[in-house]
Each structure stands twice: as C-alpha cells, then as structure tokens.
C-alpha cells in the first residue's frame, strides 16, 4: 500500500506547510525580485506569438501525482506552448519542499497550486498573493468507514472513535465546530497515515481523502464508504491557482494564457481520465511507483469534485460569490480574519470566458466520466 501511504503524507500540507509559510522566511522574500518566475507581458487578449511569453515556471504543491493530470496533459499536448510559452517547467512540491507560496513570492515560479487555508495564512502574514481560480469545487476531505460499521453523516460520528492525523487536527476541529458537534461526544484517536487500522476496528472512522483511501482499500478487498466534509458545512475548494498581485496587475495576458491551456488540459482529463493517469505513472511520476489503473480510479474520483452545476453554467475553475463567501466563513472557524477581496481575484477567468463564451461548455462533460 505504498502509494496510499505516500498520498496520506499529503495531510502534512494542511498544517505543516502552513507553519513553513509563517516561519520559513517568506515575508523577508517579498522584495526579492522575480527572476525565473515571471512571464513576459503581452498586449493581446488571445494567444501570444510563438515563444514570446518565455519560460513558464509552474509550481505544484505536491509530488507529481495524478492530482495534476490537467497540467500533465496541457504540457505533454503542447497547450502551454500553443499559448505562447517557449518552455514549461513543472516544479514538484513534497513533504520537504518549501510551500508554493514561498516560491511565488521569491520569483521562482509564475503561478502555482495550493489550498485556500495555506494561501490565506501567507496573505495574513503579508505575502502579496491571490487565488485566481479553483480546480476542485469540493475538497476531497472525507470521513471513511467500513461498510459493516457505517458512518453515513456527521451525526453518526457521535459515540464513535475517529482516527485523525496530527497534521489534520485543525480542519477536523473546524469541521466539528461547523456542524455543532461537541468534541466530547466522540473519541478522536491520533493515527498515522495508514488506514489499515480502520480495517482492524481500532477506529470506527478515518479522516482521509475521497480520491485515495477508499480506492486503495477497495483494491485490497475491503468494503468501505465515506461522506464528504464538503457536503456537510465544510465546502472548501481545493487545488487553487495562486499568483502574485504584481503578476495580476502587469502580466494578465500571460496568466490568462496559462489558464486557457489549463482549461484544455482538464477538459481532456474529464473526457478521458486514463490519459492523465497514464502520464502520471509513465512520464511525470516514474519514480513514485504509481500504477495506471489505480491512478485512473483516482482521476475518476477527482473529476466528480471538479465538475459542478456551477462550473457547467459558469466554466471550470470559477467560483460563485456564494462559494467564495462559504470558504471565507469556513476559514474564519480556524481563526482567519481576511476578507474575500484580500484573498480571491476571479477577474482573469471572467475575462477569458467573456472573450470566448464557448469555453464555458465546450469539451466539458455535463457529468464527469465515470461518475
């Protein structure tokens, strides 16, 4: 189950990397310039001349896993090059890497992927960053349980033992608060990253990712089910696009070029989940021991979180004002005092879809393949 354990280390991002953002010298880097991360500005609203945007440094927040399927497809299919970039450098993150926020502030990347809570923590400490779109309309956080001892909703957790990793304690506590559940009404059990303890009965429920543990357990022959935190008052988005305010002000066309290429890549993945999974296992993540079949199942699960009624209406990566407000309210449960205008700027996507309305629905399945 090595893939599952590796993926669970991702939970460190929720708290450990936020601490790095606050304590890793990010603020001191705010005036360090932008060498290596910037793309040339263009005046055209459409695709730039071949290579005129220069090199694109794109920072991931984790290892090169299928969660970046859209980026892999956009790169391998030449979509970034089509938009005017001369070359593409997809920069992996990982458990020992600095946060994507740090690389953007230091000018090592032009655009990156992160989570709202980590970016909010950086912004509250003075980082000049904004979220400009969201890949996942729903975060994959879930509570997993065995079918013979099901936990179908938050109320059913009462009286149960729920395994929660130390790095995930903050969102867990915020989730309980959002659902008015007294922490004393259940037992929170500290666990590591291997959900096999769920199968032995050591815990009744497991805080995990809908795109990972349910699939891994099924492959091992265990019958398990889950409910999404996003369906129960914890509707955070996931895998958000972040960039600097300076790039938004001065390099809008280059940012829109990235987003247009991203739209093409993710639309391809929605149509054919195996495409990005194959790239993850055989090209971009070859050192991770990934399997195409398992990665395909993860991609199918992820697609369910990318497409929503709102994205069908407004376009991929968009966020409605209501969804933005919901995210701000959820982050406030963990102590954030930011206002939406200090964290989100969806104007680039608005401009893209206004210029090309057909992009809203063109190539996007009304339901994610495999859902």
């Amino acid at each position: 189950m090595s893939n599952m354990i590796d993926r669970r280390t991702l939970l460190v991002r929720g708290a450990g990397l936020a601490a790095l953002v606050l304590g890793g010298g990010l603020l001191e880097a705010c005036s360090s310039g932008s060498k290596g991360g910037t793309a040339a500005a263009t005046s055209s609203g459409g695709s730039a001349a071949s290579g005129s945007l220069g090199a694109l440094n794109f920072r991931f927040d984790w290892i090169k896993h299928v969660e970046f399927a859209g980026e892999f497809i956009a790169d391998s299919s030449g979509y970034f090059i089509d938009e005017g970039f001369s070359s593409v450098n997809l920069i992996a993150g990982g458990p020992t890497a600095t946060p994507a926020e740090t690389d953007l502030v230091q000018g090592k990347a032009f655009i990156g992927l992160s989570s709202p809570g980590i970016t909010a923590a950086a912004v509250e400490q003075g980082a000049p960053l904004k979220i400009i779109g969201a890949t996942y309309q729903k975060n994959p956080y879930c509570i997993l349980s065995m079918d013979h001892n099901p936990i179908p909703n938050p109320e059913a957790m009462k009286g149960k033992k729920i395994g929660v990793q130390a790095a995930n304690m903050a969102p867990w506590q915020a989730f309980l608060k959002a659902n008015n559940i007294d922490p004393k009404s259940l037992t929170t059990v500290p666990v590591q990253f291997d959900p096999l303890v769920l199968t032995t009965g050591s815990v009744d429920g497991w805080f995990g990712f809908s795109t990972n543990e349910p699939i891994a357990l099924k492959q091992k022959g265990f019958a398990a089910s889950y409910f999404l935190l996003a369906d129960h008052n914890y509707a955070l988005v996931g895998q958000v696009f972040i960039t600097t305010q300076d790039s938004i002000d001065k390099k809008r066309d280059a940012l829109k070029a990235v987003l247009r290429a991203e739209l093409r890549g993710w639309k391809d993945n929605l149509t054919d989940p195996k495409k990005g999974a194959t790239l993850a296992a055989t090209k971009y993540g070859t050192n991770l021991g990934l399997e195409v079949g398992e990665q395909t199942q993860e991609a199918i699960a992820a697609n369910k979180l990318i497409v929503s009624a709102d994205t069908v209406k407004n376009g991929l990566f968009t966020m409605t004002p209501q969804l933005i407000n919901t995210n701000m309210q959820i982050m406030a449960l963990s102590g954030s005092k930011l206002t939406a205008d200090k964290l989100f700027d969806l104007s680039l996507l608005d401009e893209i879809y206004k210029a090309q309305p057909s992009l809203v629905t063109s190539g996007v399945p009304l339901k994610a393949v495999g859902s």
Side-chain angles (χ1 to χ4, degrees):
M1 299 184 73
S2 58
N3 290 347
M4 177 165 58
I5 296 171
D6 288 343
R7 183 69 174 102
R8 293 315 323 133
T9 311
L10 170 65
L11 293 172
V12 175
R13 293 194 300 193
L17 291 190
L20 287 175
V21 170
L22 300 180
L26 184 147
L27 297 184
E28 291 82 350
C30 286
S31 60
S32 66
S34 55
K35 61 183 179 180
T38 58
T42 63
S43 58
S44 169
S47 299
S50 177
S52 65
L53 295 180
L56 170 62
N57 291 320
F58 195 134
R59 177 62 151 77
F60 294 169
D61 58 348
W62 192 239
I63 56 178
K64 292 181 178 179
H65 180 274
V66 74
E67 68 184 274
F68 305 113
E71 286 73 37
F72 297 155
I73 294 172
D75 180 38
S76 64
S77 299
Y79 297 158
F80 293 118
I81 302 300
D82 290 347
E83 288 289 343
F85 293 99
S86 59
S87 61
V88 182
N89 181 21
L90 301 179
I91 307 167
T96 61
T98 58
E101 285 79 0
T102 300
D103 276 7
L104 265 74
V105 170
Q106 292 180 344
K108 296 177 181 178
F110 180 57
I111 193 169
L113 293 165
S114 189
S115 62
I118 294 175
T119 303
V123 172
E124 288 192 291
Q125 292 299 309
L129 300 170
K130 287 283 178 66
I131 293 171
I132 60 173
T135 309
Y136 293 91
Q137 295 292 295
K138 289 184 177 182
N139 194 289
Y141 283 144
C142 73
I143 299 299
L144 181 68
S145 60
M146 303 304 294
D147 283 356
H148 62 78
N149 183 25
I151 302 177
N153 54 55
E155 281 294 313
M157 296 190 303
K158 293 180 178 179
K160 301 287 189 177
K161 296 178 293 183
I162 310 298
V164 182
Q165 303 78 9
N168 235 18
M169 202 58 68
W172 166 243
Q173 292 171 346
F175 174 65
L176 294 179
K177 187 174 181 180
N179 286 276
N180 298 311
I181 294 177
D182 184 348
K184 295 179 181 179
S185 68
L186 50 80
T187 302
T188 298
V189 180
V191 294
Q192 297 299 316
F193 301 111
D194 190 341
L196 281 178
V197 295
L198 179 66
T199 68
T200 64
S202 299
V203 295
D204 303 303
W206 175 270
F207 194 114
F209 272 61
S210 65
T211 54
N212 183 246
E213 287 98 335
I215 296 165
L217 288 179
K218 183 178 180 180
Q219 289 187 330
K220 294 293 181 180
F222 296 106
S225 56
Y226 64 87
F227 70 81
L228 287 172
L229 274 60
D231 291 336
H232 298 276
N233 304 317
Y234 202 78
L236 279 179
V237 293
Q239 200 156 300
V240 294
F241 296 97
I242 61 173
T243 193
T244 63
Q245 184 63 53
D246 185 69
S247 292
I248 293 172
D249 294 339
K250 299 177 181 179
K251 300 178 177 66
R252 297 183 69 82
D253 287 340
L255 287 171
K256 286 190 283 188
V258 176
L259 291 172
R260 283 193 299 268
E262 286 283 302
L263 286 169
R264 294 177 68 185
W266 278 107
K267 287 177 181 180
D268 286 357
N269 187 70
L270 290 169
T271 301
D272 181 10
K274 188 176 180 180
K275 186 173 185 178
T278 301
L279 288 169
T282 65
K283 181 176 181 180
Y284 294 93
T286 54
N287 62 326
L288 301 176
L290 305 175
E291 299 176 357
V292 173
E294 186 269 344
Q295 292 284 282
T296 302
Q297 291 304 308
E298 290 201 24
I300 291 171
N303 283 349
K304 299 176 184 179
L305 308 177
I306 293 170
V307 177
S308 69
D310 287 330
T311 62
V312 170
K313 179 180 178 181
N314 302 316
L316 293 179
F317 311 154
T318 59
M319 294 179 65
T320 64
Q322 180 181 4
L323 184 56
I324 290 175
N325 183 57
T326 297
N327 274 253
M328 299 308 299
Q329 291 175 345
I330 291 171
M331 285 185 283
L333 294 173
S334 297
S336 175
K337 298 186 184 302
L338 286 180
T339 55
D341 62 302
K342 300 298 184 182
L343 185 60
F344 291 96
D345 184 345
L346 279 295
S347 62
L348 293 156
L349 283 169
D350 291 341
E351 291 172 13
I352 288 173
Y353 287 123
K354 183 177 180 180
Q356 295 177 268
S358 63
L359 289 177
V360 173
T361 56
S362 177
V364 179
L366 295 182
K367 289 184 66 179
V369 171
S371 63

